[in-house]
Amino acid sequence: VYDIIQAESATFRIYESVSIRPDPFTEFSTEGSDARRSLDIISVEEFSLVGITLDPVGGDQAMVEDGIGVPYVLYEGTILANNSHVAEITSNEVIVIQDVIVDYSARGGGETTIPTIYSLRLHEEGGL
């Protein structure tokens, strides 16, 4: 603590930060290993939705984290593992469609694609 000005009835001081938290406004270090994996090898089940940014001119984004807390940014059209992609980003959810291919050739039929819809939703504050 350093005194900087002493007035008639007050002393103004400068306090140095002793926080062990890193400064959130500094850039990330590019040294060391990056724990991020390619999105096309991560299945939607591994993600939890952290936040959504809506852009009125397009380019809505969703921030997700994998099981160990590594962050990723998703956009509409982002390709994920298991033949799935981000179909839509709304104000409180990310809709992912997985195209499941079913082979009926053993029964004399062909293949058909069945869409499976996943929804990653934000938790609402103050709910029951």
Side-chain angles (χ1 to χ4, degrees), residues 28-103:
F28 291 107
S29 172
T30 57
E31 297 176 13
S33 64
D34 188 356
R36 280 180 275 169
R37 299 175 283 160
S38 177
L39 285 169
D40 61 355
I41 64 169
I42 304 173
S43 66
V44 66
E45 294 93 343
E46 293 184 56
F47 289 129
S48 61
L49 184 58
V50 175
I52 293 176
T53 302
L54 299 177
D55 184 352
V57 295
D60 299 339
Q61 304 173 38
M63 177 172 276
V64 294
E65 289 182 346
D66 66 8
I68 60 171
V70 177
Y72 297 87
V73 176
L74 303 179
Y75 302 91
E76 288 184 10
T78 299
I79 304 296
L80 302 173
N82 302 323
N83 204 24
S84 60
H85 67 279
V86 177
E88 185 178 0
I89 298 174
T90 67
S91 62
N92 67 341
E93 74 178 327
V94 176
I95 299 170
V96 176
I97 297 179
Q98 179 182 16
D99 293 322
V100 178
I101 299 171
V102 180
D103 185 6

